[in-house]
Amino acid sequence: MTRWINSIGWLFCVVYATIPCFWLLVHPRAGYWRSQRYSPYLILLPLWLMMWIVTGFVSSYWRHATLYTASWTWAPAIALFVVGVRIYSLSGQHFSLTQLGGLPEVLPQHGEQRLVTTGIRSRVRHPIYLAHLCEMLAWSLGTGLAVCYGLTFFAMLTGALMIRMEDRELKQRFGDAYREYRRKVAAILPRI
């Protein structure tokens, strides 16, 4: 049973660790993707799938290496899962599915170009990335797998780079309104 749960945690972290890399393909080239006649997702989604395969292949060697085995670690892990799901839920409020899917970033003349600064976004600019981090930390903590911790660390590094690029792209799109919002609201960890 433990091996099965650990495998799910590893695969989950493989997919989630590639999310910032996916967006690193989008944000620096948002203008390019918007200029295309075809849907950029015809290229982006297969590239993301390839990232899963490569990340899974590269990390598979360490998928059974455990740093610790302790059943009590699942208690804080479950708390992190719950927090992550709650943040996902709050992130969906005041934000459309097209915004969640990144359509305004990549589709030309996309009608919905609005800066959302209400709800959870009044406390944190990138709540979905915070939810991703909670979920990855939960799997890392619960399974004790070195590979989950490594993939979480990788996601944090690439995520920090991606957030910088996304902030730059949002400044171009929303100008002074985004600059002021960025000045007042933290990127990932809410200010107390």
Side-chain angles (χ1 to χ4, degrees), residues 1-183:
M1 178 76 160
T2 301
R3 195 170 269 253
W4 183 76
I5 290 172
N6 285 356
S7 293
I8 291 172
W10 165 62
L11 291 173
F12 184 93
C13 287
V14 162
V15 171
Y16 268 54
T18 63
I19 291 172
C21 293
F22 171 83
W23 289 107
L24 284 171
L25 294 174
V26 173
H27 289 295
R29 294 173 168 67
Y32 168 77
W33 294 118
R34 280 190 216 111
S35 71
Q36 301 305 303
R37 291 184 311 223
Y38 53 85
S39 172
Y41 287 106
L42 294 173
I43 294 172
L44 292 170
L45 292 178
L47 284 174
W48 190 28
L49 182 58
M50 288 302 297
M51 287 181 214
W52 296 0
I53 293 167
V54 169
T55 304
F57 179 75
V58 168
S59 66
S60 66
Y61 179 78
W62 299 281
R63 74 178 188 273
H64 298 300
T66 56
L67 299 173
Y68 55 83
T69 53
S71 58
W72 68 266
T73 60
W74 283 102
I78 289 170
L80 280 169
F81 281 128
V82 170
V83 168
V85 169
R86 179 67 178 143
I87 293 170
Y88 282 131
S89 173
L90 292 171
S91 297
Q93 297 173 358
H94 312 288
F95 223 59
S96 70
L97 287 175
T98 59
Q99 286 174 303
L100 287 172
L103 296 182
E105 283 89 351
V106 296
L107 293 181
Q109 310 304 323
H110 196 275
E112 190 168 5
Q113 296 283 326
R114 62 187 178 99
L115 179 61
V116 178
T117 60
T118 56
I120 194 170
R121 285 176 180 78
S122 67
R123 298 240 178 227
V124 60
R125 292 193 317 269
H126 305 284
I128 294 172
Y129 305 138
L130 176 58
H132 292 342
L133 179 60
C134 289
E135 300 298 314
M136 289 186 78
L137 286 173
W139 280 112
S140 299
L141 187 61
T143 63
L145 291 176
V147 71
C148 288
Y149 279 104
L151 289 168
T152 300
F153 182 71
F154 174 75
M156 290 170 61
L157 289 177
T158 56
L161 179 61
M162 184 273 313
I163 285 171
R164 280 188 167 163
M165 290 184 177
E166 183 172 349
D167 280 346
R168 189 177 309 132
E169 197 265 327
L170 289 168
K171 273 193 283 184
Q172 288 175 350
R173 237 186 320 152
F174 298 110
D176 290 337
Y178 189 77
R179 283 184 191 86
E180 181 65 16
Y181 173 60
R182 184 175 179 211
R183 188 183 64 75

